[in-house]
Amino acid sequence: QQQVKQSPQSLIVQKGGISIINCAYENTAFDYFPWYQQFPGKGPALLIAIRPDVSEKKEGRFTISFNKSAKQFSLHIMDSQPGDSATYFCAASIIRNQFYFGTGTSLTVIP
Amino acid sequence: ETGVTQSPTHLIKTRGQQVTLRCSSQSGHNTVSWYQQALGQGPQFIFQYYREEENGRGNFPPRFSGLQFPNYSSELNVNALELDDSALYLCASSLEPSYGYTFGSGTRLTVV
């Protein structure tokens, strides 16, 4: 049973464009929603995170939009750069204990 | 530069064997979690240790076991290896369970 569903599986964006990755969850007890970036051969690195009492959080070019009623959240990468090419995972947890990860989105930014 | 180091980086084992993977957390990090990441998938929670006691376990059989030591290092042990155990094993450490986690680069285990 996949606790967090992520789409799309892969994404190709032109340099300077906007990358959008979506996630949906079922468990309303989740209280922490992070996004991780993973490069080949490396472990996931925390990119940005949000709590369900906030509808949007922005850090630099990265923005999380959160829709509590729809149980959905998304990552927007503005002005996408070739260096952003990586696999992105959404996740959800309760009190940051056990993380449930999505299946990942492979992002390719074309120069 | 991540503060969490894992060893070895790669490992090949035969089905039925036993393996021990090691993780060195950042100093002061009392919490360590282990995850299994199959190729093309997101990480799956194996278990978490807090102050040397198991603090939660995912849907993994008992042949997956762990230890956490006072020097902020930990181990993941897998007995009776199966082909499906082939994956990237990640450890992540944190000051406390409710704080942010730092992941290591993982150990790539191949079971043949």
Side-chain angles (χ1 to χ4, degrees):
Chain A
Q1 180 185 0
Q2 190 71 28
Q3 296 263 4
V4 178
K5 296 182 180 179
Q6 182 173 348
S7 64
Q9 184 176 353
S10 62
L11 184 61
I12 299 174
V13 173
Q14 294 278 353
K15 178 183 175 181
I18 302 173
S19 304
I20 302 174
I21 306 170
N22 301 299
C23 283
Y25 64 97
E26 288 298 323
N27 190 344
T28 56
F30 288 142
D31 64 358
Y32 180 70
F33 300 87
W35 283 90
Y36 285 87
Q37 179 188 58
Q38 186 175 29
F39 292 103
K42 299 293 185 181
L46 179 64
L47 201 57
I48 186 172
I50 198 168
R51 291 195 167 277
D53 54 348
V54 177
S55 62
E56 185 176 280
K57 183 175 181 180
K58 183 177 181 179
E59 290 183 1
R61 297 185 293 110
F62 302 93
T63 299
I64 299 179
S65 296
F66 189 85
N67 187 330
K68 188 174 181 178
S69 61
K71 293 186 286 186
Q72 295 175 349
F73 59 110
S74 61
L75 175 69
H76 295 235
I77 305 175
M78 312 300 287
D79 188 27
S80 298
Q81 299 297 313
D84 297 330
S85 296
T87 300
Y88 292 80
F89 293 96
C90 62
S93 71
I94 303 171
I95 319 176
R96 304 193 198 188
N97 192 336
Q98 173 179 347
F99 286 94
Y100 295 89
F101 284 83
T103 51
T105 296
S106 176
L107 172 65
T108 302
V109 181
I110 300 172
Chain B
E1 183 69 30
T2 179
V4 179
T5 57
Q6 293 186 241
S7 62
T9 54
H10 295 83
L11 197 56
I12 300 175
K13 287 287 190 178
T14 302
R15 187 173 50 183
Q17 285 188 315
Q18 177 266 344
V19 68
T20 298
L21 310 182
R22 294 180 171 81
C23 173
S24 179
S25 302
Q26 291 183 236
S27 180
H29 280 200
N30 294 309
T31 307
V32 64
S33 297
W34 284 89
Y35 287 82
Q36 179 195 66
Q37 186 176 18
L39 200 61
Q41 299 295 316
Q44 298 287 319
F45 177 75
I46 303 175
F47 45 58
Q48 181 184 86
Y49 278 78
Y50 175 61
R51 296 182 185 270
E52 302 165 45
E53 296 286 333
E54 188 175 292
N55 187 44
R57 189 177 185 91
N59 189 27
F60 280 81
R63 59 189 185 84
F64 285 79
S65 63
L67 286 171
Q68 184 185 27
F69 303 101
N71 66 351
Y72 308 114
S73 67
S74 60
E75 291 180 353
L76 164 65
N77 299 289
V78 187
N79 293 321
L81 283 167
E82 301 176 0
L83 297 179
D84 284 349
D85 295 334
S86 296
L88 180 69
Y89 289 85
L90 297 161
C91 77
S93 74
S94 176
L95 280 168
E96 297 286 329
S98 62
Y99 282 54
Y101 286 81
T102 300
F103 280 84
S105 294
T107 294
R108 172 71 63 186
L109 172 65
T110 302
V111 182
V112 297

